[in-house]
């Protein structure tokens, strides 16, 4: 195993841990920020696919637990903004999802209100 493989395992483990912590308490902004940094590092450094469905499901569960969890709303907005940028730039090779850009833009508009 190379150092890059070890780093990927650490990132995946950290994503799982932050997910579990956020499901218990979706309020800490530092966990959402850490999660965003982990996702960015995963996208830029490995062959792993970014699963938007899982990430949106996490934010949905967190918002069901606490609809005023601003970190979850901001994370959701960041996900959709990033995805829209990737689609617009046709750089969607690391994103695993069937994309409906109109749906994404509608969702993004909701998160800006």
């Amino acid at each position: 195993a190379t150092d890059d493989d070890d780093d990927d395992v650490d990132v995946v483990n950290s994503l799982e841990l932050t997910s579990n912590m956020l499901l218990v308490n979706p309020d800490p902004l530092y966990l959402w920020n850490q999660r965003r940094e982990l996702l960015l590092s995963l996208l830029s450094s490995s062959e792993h696919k970014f699963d938007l469905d899982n990430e949106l499901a996490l934010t949905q569960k967190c918002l069901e637990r606490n609809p005023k969890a601003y970190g979850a709303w901001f994370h959701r907005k960041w996900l959709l903004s990033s995805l829209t940028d990737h689609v617009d730039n046709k750089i969607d090779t690391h994103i695993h999802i069937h994309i409906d850009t109109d749906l994404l833009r509608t969702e993004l508009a909701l998160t800006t209100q």
Side-chain angles (χ1 to χ4, degrees):
T2 65
D3 287 339
D4 287 342
D5 291 341
D6 291 342
D7 290 344
D8 288 348
V9 169
D10 290 344
V11 168
V12 171
N13 288 339
S14 294
L15 282 169
E16 186 176 335
L17 287 172
T18 58
S19 178
N20 291 337
M21 289 186 281
L22 287 164
L23 288 170
V24 172
N25 181 5
D27 292 327
L29 294 176
Y30 71 92
L31 289 175
W32 291 109
N33 291 336
Q34 181 182 13
R35 189 164 186 85
R36 184 179 62 241
E37 294 299 321
L38 290 165
L39 290 169
L40 287 171
S41 71
L42 190 66
L43 280 172
S44 67
S45 70
S46 74
E47 296 177 9
H48 291 282
K49 296 288 184 184
F50 177 65
D51 191 340
L52 181 67
D53 289 334
N54 285 344
E55 206 62 24
L56 289 174
L58 172 64
T59 61
Q60 181 177 345
K61 288 175 189 173
C62 289
L63 289 167
E64 288 169 356
R65 182 170 177 83
N66 179 4
K68 293 184 179 182
Y70 295 109
W73 283 112
F74 291 135
H75 189 71
R76 192 171 182 93
K77 180 180 177 182
W78 173 79
L79 288 167
L80 295 169
S81 296
S82 297
L83 181 61
T84 302
D85 290 345
H86 284 295
V87 170
D88 288 343
N89 295 324
K90 305 216 183 310
I91 308 173
D92 58 343
T93 56
H94 292 293
I95 300 172
H96 174 67
I97 187 170
H98 298 289
I99 299 169
D100 178 348
T101 55
D102 291 334
L103 174 65
L104 288 174
R105 286 188 176 82
T106 301
E107 176 84 15
L108 187 56
L110 289 173
T111 61
T112 59
Q113 296 178 357

